[in-house]
Amino acid sequence: MTATELHHPGGAAKVGRVDMKLEVDIIPVSDVDRTRGFYERLGWRLDDDVAPMDGLRIVQFTPPGSGTSITFGLGLTTAAPGSAEAGLTVSDIEAAHAELVGRGIEVSDIWHGPPFPVEARQPGPDPERTSYGSFFSFTDPDGNTWLAQEVTARLPGRIDAAETGYASAADLESALRRAEAAHRRSGEREAWSSWYAAYMVAEQAGTDLPT
């Protein structure tokens, strides 16, 4: 029996879906210690800093509430330092901006509208605080760029409603506040807990919100 026959019995077997979760993004840097200090000041969790052999050093950080980490160091990539661009999502753009400013991070002003081209950006958060509508950016010491975007309700199909979850207590708290505000506007008198649950699941899944 060949390897092909082992993996494809009968040639017509149904192929199942295998989950593939983004784990690590490698960013190119010129000064490892300087970069480590920046991400520590940013408040990201230091997961590891190891040098298993000469010419190789691996430093890993994870943003709060993220399932994906970043890695930088020595001997990891040939990309030019500062050439990376990546995106972050936050549940409250103003709170996230204020936190980074408080940590001494140089960040752009908040804007709304499309992130690109730059000429299309409008100052301040989106007036309606529309999900996906507000942004700010910052860079690390080499110029690797991070674009932060406020996301409160996902587009349909982005999140499986059967797998609704929150990555952090802060995200859960923000969702509860939005559900509370929507519940008050609706005038509903049913038990708040069931109404909140329905609202929060629909918000994450991008389906119709209860009214």
Side-chain angles (χ1 to χ4, degrees):
M1 182 176 288
T2 67
T4 300
E5 290 172 328
L6 282 171
H7 289 290
H8 304 282
K14 184 177 179 180
V15 178
R17 186 187 73 175
V18 177
D19 286 348
M20 296 185 182
K21 300 178 180 179
L22 183 62
E23 182 72 12
V24 173
D25 187 23
I26 298 174
I27 61 172
V29 304
S30 60
D31 186 321
V32 179
D33 289 327
R34 180 181 65 173
T35 304
R36 171 175 165 160
F38 174 82
Y39 285 102
E40 287 179 327
R41 186 156 48 96
L42 198 60
W44 293 13
R45 186 186 72 225
L46 175 63
D47 297 324
D48 212 351
D49 185 348
V50 294
M53 63 180 68
D54 289 342
L56 179 62
R57 181 178 174 188
I58 305 168
V59 183
Q60 180 171 304
F61 279 88
T62 302
S66 176
T68 303
S69 304
I70 63 164
T71 295
F72 57 87
L74 297 174
L76 299 180
T77 177
T78 58
S83 61
E85 296 184 1
L88 301 166
T89 61
V90 298
S91 58
D92 186 323
I93 198 77
E94 292 179 313
H97 187 273
E99 178 180 342
L100 295 195
V101 170
R103 290 179 175 276
I105 305 298
E106 184 175 343
V107 298
S108 74
D109 292 334
I110 297 173
W111 78 85
H112 66 278
F116 306 105
V118 173
E119 294 77 16
R121 300 174 181 178
Q122 301 297 313
D126 181 84
E128 303 297 324
R129 297 302 285 270
T130 305
S131 189
Y132 297 98
S134 301
F135 306 83
F136 68 80
S137 65
F138 62 94
T139 60
D140 70 11
D142 280 295
N144 294 303
T145 300
W146 293 97
L147 181 69
Q149 180 179 31
E150 183 176 76
V151 177
T152 53
R154 291 286 182 179
L155 292 171
R158 300 290 180 90
I159 297 290
D160 186 343
E163 300 176 357
T164 300
Y166 295 89
S168 68
D171 278 352
L172 177 57
E173 180 182 359
S174 293
L176 284 166
R177 287 176 176 171
R178 294 192 298 273
E180 179 184 27
H183 187 243
R184 288 176 176 172
R185 291 194 300 268
S186 74
E188 285 287 342
R189 297 183 179 276
E190 65 179 283
W192 69 267
S193 56
S194 59
W195 200 96
Y196 280 27
Y199 182 94
M200 292 162 69
V201 168
E203 185 184 56
Q204 276 211 336
T207 57
D208 291 337
L209 297 172
T211 57

